[in-house]
Structure formats: structure tokens, C-alpha cells
Amino acid sequence: MLYAIIAEDVANSLSQRHVTRPAHLQRLQALQDQGRLIIAGPHPASDTETPGDAGFTGSLIVAEFDSLEAAKNWADADPYVAAGVYARVTVKPFKQVFPK
């Protein structure tokens, strides 16, 4: 089943995001290599794809996991969680309707 992982950053997370990004991307690449990643990316803090020093307010990941518990465990082990980038992470079942 698909699960949405919705993360909200702490204030002023940009510098810690930069430091931790390679490890975070490595885990996402593993999901992609397994054919389980649907979409992933950050939420810019301003209305542009390249927010510069404004940084990001969080992230969204939609991926396939065996269970809600497995999705939560994966999210809890994210390097951004360990580094204190994320203030809160919500994991919910997700039903993809479009695109098919």
C-alpha cells in the first residue's frame, strides 16, 4: 500500500538540511531503486523552486510500504529526523487516484 510521509521543518532548518541531505537522498534513492517511490521533495518556504536562504518548510514523500508500521519505522529512521530538521512527521495511508 502507499503511504504519505508529511514532514514539517523546525525554524531555520536550512543549514542542517544541507549537511544531512546526502544521507537523506541515499535512502530515497534506495526506495526508488526498489520501485517503491512515487514522489518526494521539499516544500519551499517561498513561492519559487529555488527559495535560497528562505529554505524549506517541510517535505512530502509518497512511497509503498508493507504496512503503516513499516512506513512509520522508515520515516522515524530518516537522517533529517536524527539531525533535528523535522519538527513533526505524519505518516498516513494514501490512495493514488491520478495519474493511473
Side-chain angles (χ1 to χ4, degrees):
M1 180 166 188
L2 295 178
Y3 295 89
I5 300 169
I6 305 144
E8 298 176 43
D9 281 22
V10 298
N12 303 311
S13 63
L14 189 58
S15 64
Q16 198 56 37
R17 268 184 172 269
H18 286 308
V19 170
T20 313
R21 188 170 191 259
H24 173 75
L25 293 180
Q26 185 176 23
R27 294 181 80 238
L28 290 171
Q29 185 64 54
L31 280 181
Q32 184 172 338
D33 292 348
Q34 296 164 12
R36 297 169 44 204
L37 182 63
I38 304 304
I39 193 168
H43 300 286
S46 59
D47 192 13
T48 178
E49 287 187 27
T50 54
D53 291 340
F56 301 91
T57 62
S59 301
L60 171 66
I61 299 166
V62 177
E64 183 178 348
F65 293 93
D66 291 334
S67 66
L68 179 59
E69 180 180 2
K72 286 181 178 181
N73 288 339
W74 188 91
D76 288 344
D78 193 290
Y80 281 174
V81 171
V85 171
Y86 292 153
R88 178 178 30 234
V89 177
T90 303
V91 181
K92 299 178 180 186
F94 181 80
K95 180 179 177 185
Q96 182 175 356
V97 176
F98 289 103
K100 291 218 174 220

